[in-house]
Each structure stands twice: as structure tokens, then as C-alpha cells.
Amino acid sequence: MNVQTTIEQSVPQRLARVREVMAREGVDALLVPSADPHLSEYLPGYWQGRRWLSGFDGSVGTLVVTADFAGLWADSRYWEQADKELAGSGIELMKLLPGKPGALEWLGDNIRAAGAVAVDGAVMALASARQLEERLKARDIRLVTDRDLLAQVWDGRPALPSNPVYQHLPPHATVSRAEKLAQLRSTLVEKGADWHFIATLDDIAWLFNLRGSDVSYNPVFVSFALIGQEQATLFVGAGKLDAHLQHVLQVDGIELRDYSDVGTVLSEVAPGSRLLVDPSRVTCGLLKHLDAQVQLIEGLNPTTLSKSRKGEDELVHVRRVMEQDGAALCEFFAWLEAHQGTEVITELTIDEQLSAARARRPGFVSLSFSTIAAFNGNGAMPHYRATEQSHAVIEGDGLLLIDSGGQYLGGTTDITRMVPVGTPSLEQKKDCTRVLKGMIALSRATFPRGILSPLLDAIARAPIWADQVDYGHGTGHGVGYFMNVHEGPQVIAYQAATAPQTAMQAGMISSIEPGTYRPGAWGVRIENLVVNREAGKSAFGDFLTFETLTLCPIDTRCLLADLLTKEELDWLNSYHAQVRERLAPLLAGDALAWLEERTAPL
């Protein structure tokens, strides 16, 4: 059955049922964020309410439903996708633009005075709830957070995930959970906190050296944690930890409680206690369980900063993972060139073959996100995903964009490369060259330790802006250590807030991925991962620079070498020499020959 037909039939019916519930509950507007109680990027099916109700399949978006309006707010990465998926649904695409009103602002301006806006407080960040409440208060609009309206109409709602939890063990786990807990407790003393509550899954998995598979692509498990000076409680579903792991954790002084017990335990925190929480990473619904006399100390989860700064022992494993991942890519690209033109290859074939190449490598666990294989016009959608119902055949002339990554026991990878198909046009090559110039500019940068990461964005954009070209997404995100492929606190994007916690510190791994997108025609993105390294000291302070971690040739057939400066050519040739030196020992036959050809100096 055609997917679009299914959306046209089902989404209006779902909206009608939701509106019936809203009328019965006296609610003027329903806000449905893309969120769960852990404020995760990728959501288990149980919390995919926005996707279920709207039919929009993107990973980020906010839905608002009123009696006579439904709108989905999404940024430029998803506009083309949303246009297609929302067609005929009765939901209007509300394009998010810097400086323009978002969903919260719209609610404050458009709901009748003394009305009511509902959102499930279990999935609404405390900071966002406060922001919305402040906007609504000016017009005496109530914010209702104590009910899940979707639960009344969502037939066949998926169950909570029940996948097993396992240990992340040495040598890949280089710091014990006991050491991490001791470090966290020391920080609590510095902050004057008696307790720390953590809801974010990556922070919990990192702190306890545990991993799982409850969330697609991120090796985490659904859980909460409450940490005190004498006690650490981990809330996790029954049956997810085997007897041996339960014993190991108990020996380390960790009490295990059922996932559903979190509200009860929070209600038992003694009045007058001081609880450290990150208001942007914990939901208002969870904190409503606390006694009114519990004092909140608000700030970044200490684990967020700790896990972002990879130690030297971890970086040893990351570099090995980059070699294995690069070798897998070389095998895939050699296969692609050998079979292109001799058999039918689609965007789905790309995903299958590349995933299989990674799976053959030691330490591989899973993909780190859904592979983006996008030919020509599909590449203009930054978060495009090929499906059985809609995908392109790789044939003719143009550009193939491949953005992919893997989760390995020793690290997480994320890489984008451009592949020429047939004969790319002059304009396509210009775009590829310009994007590469942006990536090289930031890769070569030296900058002060502690600079707020959003400020680095302009370095990558400058060569692109010079030709009056731009792109709508950020230039870089943090990357975890066998953890989430998108990890804070650093983010290289001028659109992001320059908050103190975004300061660049040694050991942070980030992506550098500028792009150019021409709707309906093609898209270009080239991406490497880098790590912040000490660059030295001067009279002006400490400085950092980037070490490039990703190891895979950048296809020079997509480039116009004459547009590169000598410094840029030197960088590219030096990078390719390093790629060849480190990957050659892991390859043989066609893959080795492909590597040698694609790393030949310009």
C-alpha cells in the first residue's frame, strides 16, 4: 500500500479523536514534542507520539493541535521531507527559522485568554515548561502537565523496551564505575548538593559503565539514577539485568529498583534536601513527585562534561576504531566502483553493503544512526532516508551523498563522503570544492581553550559565505565514546546558545560537516570527526587545535583542484598520506588498490 495514502487515511482520523478528547478535557491546545522522559534524540516506540499523530517521520519536530489548526514546527533539515509526509494530513508545516517564533511562542500568541494548553509533563523539559508557562501567564492561560491525552486514543501503542543491559568492560572501559561515582560525589560536595537525579540515558550508561539497545543506534537503556554521598540507586525495568550483573552492581554499592518506582523514591527525598538537576535534561513531570521543601540546585549534569572529555586511554581505542571503520569504508567503496554500471544499485543497496562491511570489523556493535544514502535531489534533504516505497537507483550522472557511522566497543564513528556518479557537473564540483574548503578551514584552526564552541562555526562557513552560499544546519556536534553519536555539551553552530558549558576543552570529539543543498537538484556534505588537542601556551593563554580522527579518502573526482589554495592542497595531500599509511595494513586486493588510487596526491 502506498505510504502517503495511509497517512491521508489515518492522520486526519487520529487528529479528530484527539480533538474529541481535548474538548472533553477542556483543553484549547495540545503540544506534542519529540521527547520521552529522558529527553532522548532517538525515541523508543512507546514515546513516538508526535510521529504517530502527525505521520511525520523526522527525528525532530514539535506538533501543536487546536480545534481548528494543526501545525508541525521543523527546521530546514526536514522541510522537504515534511512537505511530502504532511501532504493531505491537515497539518501545516511551520518552518523554523532563526529569530522567528517557534511552537511555544505561537501558543502564547494564539490561544484564547484564560484558555488551557496541555502537554504530557512526563516528556516536557523543566526549562521548556517554565518558558512556556511564562509565555502563557501573560494571558492567564493554564498549562496542564498532569495527563497524557494521547494515551486515551493511541490504539496499539508499543510496549516499553525490554532489551537486556550489559557491561562495558575493560580494556574499552578505561575508568571504573567506582571511580566515576567518586568523581561525581566530589562534584556534589563542591556544589552543595545532597543528591543528584539523572534522567538522560547516555549519562547513566556512561556513569555505570553499562550499555543496552533500548534506543535505536544509541547503546543505552531506559533508566533513571539517583545519586547521594552514601547511596546510588539505578531504576531499570525488571528482567533487564541478569543475576550476575545484579550481583556486580550490588557489590559496587548500587541499589537496583524497578523503573516504575522512580516517582515513589523521589517523593521520599527528605524535605530540606538539596537536589542537583539539569533543568534542560529532566522533565517537569518527574520533579513534581518531590516534596515542596526539597531545594533544587540547577546546573549541567556533571557527567555530561566528564564524558565529553575523552581520556588518552580512550583515544587510543578511538583511533583503532577509526582505522577499522575506514577499512570497512574502503572495502565498500571498492565494491561500489566495481559493480556500478554492471548491476542495479539503489540507495537501499548502498545501506546494505556498507552496513555489512562494518559488521565484518572487530568490535562492531551496531550502526550509530540510520545510513543516509542520497542520490542527486535526495541529497538536498540533510536527513533523507531511503525506504522500500521511495528510493533512487544510482545511475546516470550526478552526486551520491553517503552519511553513515558505526558503534564499536572502542568508539563511535560518523562520516560523510561524496561519490561521483557518471560525470558530475561543473556546478556540482564547485559545491563539493567549496564545502571541502570550509571543512579544511575549521580542521586547521587553532583556538583558545574555553572558547564557546558555537563561535567556531564561522570559520567553516567563511569560504562558503564568500560565494554567498550557506546551509541551514550546524557545522558540528559532539560525539560519544561507544555512546550517542550526538553528544553535548559542545556544538559548533552559530544558531546555538553560547552557554558557558559549550566551552571547548581538551579531549572533546566533534564533527566538522559543512554542506550545501540545492532543493530538487543535489546536496553536498563532507564530514570528519576531530578531537580537541593541546596546541601549547603563549602569553595570551592556552590554545587548542584539532586532530582529525576519521580515516577515509575524500574523492578528488568531485573536486576542482584549481579552486584549492596551496595550503588546502597540502592539507588534503597530507591527510590522504595518513589515511593510506594507517589503512593499508588492514586491506588487501581490490580494497587496497582502491585506497592507493583514491589517496594519490593532487
Side-chain angles (χ1 to χ4, degrees), residues 43-56:
L43 309 180
Y46 183 85
W47 288 294
Q48 292 276 9
R50 187 269 302 153
R51 178 174 292 175
W52 173 81
L53 183 54
S54 70
F56 170 62

Side-chain angles (χ1 to χ4, degrees), residues 510-587:
S510 305
S511 69
I512 298 179
E513 47 181 313
T516 296
Y517 306 96
R518 301 191 183 275
W522 66 80
V524 172
R525 188 166 61 253
I526 302 175
E527 175 187 17
N528 280 344
L529 299 189
V530 296
V531 61
N532 295 352
R533 305 290 294 170
E534 303 278 359
K537 298 183 179 182
S538 75
F540 298 92
D542 297 343
F543 284 78
L544 300 173
T545 191
F546 290 124
E547 172 194 342
T548 296
L549 296 170
T550 302
L551 297 169
C552 181
I554 296 167
D555 201 316
T556 57
R557 295 173 298 171
C558 295
L559 305 176
L560 295 172
D562 290 348
L563 298 183
L564 297 173
T565 66
K566 180 182 183 303
E567 291 77 11
E568 290 164 344
L569 277 171
D570 287 347
W571 183 94
L572 183 60
N573 287 333
S574 175
Y575 173 69
H576 277 160
Q578 182 189 67
V579 169
R580 185 170 58 250
E581 178 184 352
R582 292 177 60 185
L583 298 189
L586 301 176
L587 297 170

Side-chain angles (χ1 to χ4, degrees), residues 81-403:
Q81 177 183 349
D83 272 333
K84 294 178 181 178
E85 294 179 349
L86 297 179
S89 68
I91 300 173
E92 183 179 346
L93 171 61
M94 309 294 284
K95 294 183 177 181
L96 276 174
L97 290 165
K100 298 294 184 181
L104 304 192
E105 291 85 354
W106 188 94
L107 287 166
D109 294 338
N110 289 273
I111 303 307
R112 67 180 177 89
V117 172
V119 62
D120 181 6
V123 302
M124 184 71 164
L126 176 62
S128 299
R130 286 173 174 169
Q131 180 186 351
L132 179 56
E133 201 160 30
E134 189 64 29
R135 290 188 174 277
L136 299 180
K137 188 165 50 175
R139 301 179 62 222
D140 197 28
I141 301 170
R142 290 184 300 119
L143 180 61
V144 180
T145 62
D146 61 353
R147 64 202 72 170
D148 178 6
L149 299 189
L150 291 187
Q152 301 183 42
V153 297
W154 192 348
D155 300 326
R157 187 172 188 171
L160 289 173
S162 57
N163 300 326
V165 177
Y166 58 95
Q167 293 194 77
H168 190 216
L169 294 167
H172 301 106
T174 63
V175 181
S176 71
R177 67 176 63 91
E179 291 175 277
K180 291 178 178 179
L181 283 166
Q183 180 188 24
L184 175 57
R185 286 171 170 143
S186 176
T187 303
L188 295 187
V189 171
E190 294 172 9
K191 294 182 177 295
D194 303 303
W195 297 94
H196 178 37
F197 179 63
I198 312 176
T200 39
L201 304 184
D202 52 333
D203 287 293
I204 294 168
W206 177 88
L207 178 64
F208 292 102
N209 281 351
L210 299 173
R211 298 293 189 269
S213 58
D214 285 349
V215 179
S216 298
Y217 312 116
N218 294 342
V220 296
F221 54 98
V222 170
S223 56
F224 299 104
L226 182 64
I227 314 298
Q229 287 300 332
E230 307 297 331
Q231 187 177 345
T233 304
L234 178 63
F235 301 86
V236 64
K240 294 174 69 68
L241 282 70
D242 64 26
H244 173 71
L245 183 50
Q246 291 181 46
H247 175 72
V248 166
L249 294 174
Q250 288 164 358
V251 168
D252 280 346
I254 297 162
E255 178 189 12
L256 296 173
R257 295 287 297 264
D258 191 78
Y259 179 76
S260 62
D261 290 343
V262 63
T264 300
V265 174
L266 285 175
S267 70
E268 295 168 352
V269 174
S273 297
R274 293 160 298 180
L275 177 70
L276 174 64
V277 296
D278 184 339
S280 66
R281 306 301 291 154
V282 67
T283 66
C284 62
L286 283 166
L287 296 185
K288 282 193 173 179
H289 293 285
L290 294 169
D291 186 278
Q293 299 305 310
V294 172
Q295 177 187 346
L296 295 185
I297 298 175
E298 299 184 10
L300 186 73
N301 286 338
T303 45
T304 299
L305 186 57
S306 296
K307 70 180 169 58
S308 74
R309 297 181 294 194
K310 281 63 177 177
E312 290 301 320
D313 291 341
E314 290 174 319
L315 290 173
V316 169
H317 294 293
V318 170
R319 294 185 187 99
R320 290 174 182 162
V321 160
M322 294 295 171
E323 291 169 352
Q324 294 294 340
D325 200 61
L329 285 156
C330 289
E331 290 178 347
F332 160 75
F333 282 125
W335 172 88
L336 179 61
E337 287 195 21
H339 290 78
Q340 204 169 325
T342 64
E343 64 181 74
V344 176
I345 297 175
T346 72
E347 293 165 335
L348 295 176
T349 316
I350 301 295
D351 185 8
E352 293 165 3
Q353 292 291 331
L354 181 50
S355 298
R358 282 194 166 100
R360 292 191 291 268
R361 288 288 153 178
F364 176 81
V365 176
S366 73
L367 301 184
S368 57
F369 56 95
S370 179
T371 299
I372 300 170
F375 184 51
N376 279 347
N378 291 337
M381 295 178 277
H383 279 219
Y384 169 79
R385 186 177 65 190
T387 65
E388 289 287 351
Q389 296 79 16
S390 177
H391 60 265
V393 176
I394 315 302
E395 61 184 1
D397 296 323
L399 290 174
L400 171 63
L401 183 156
I402 304 177
D403 188 351

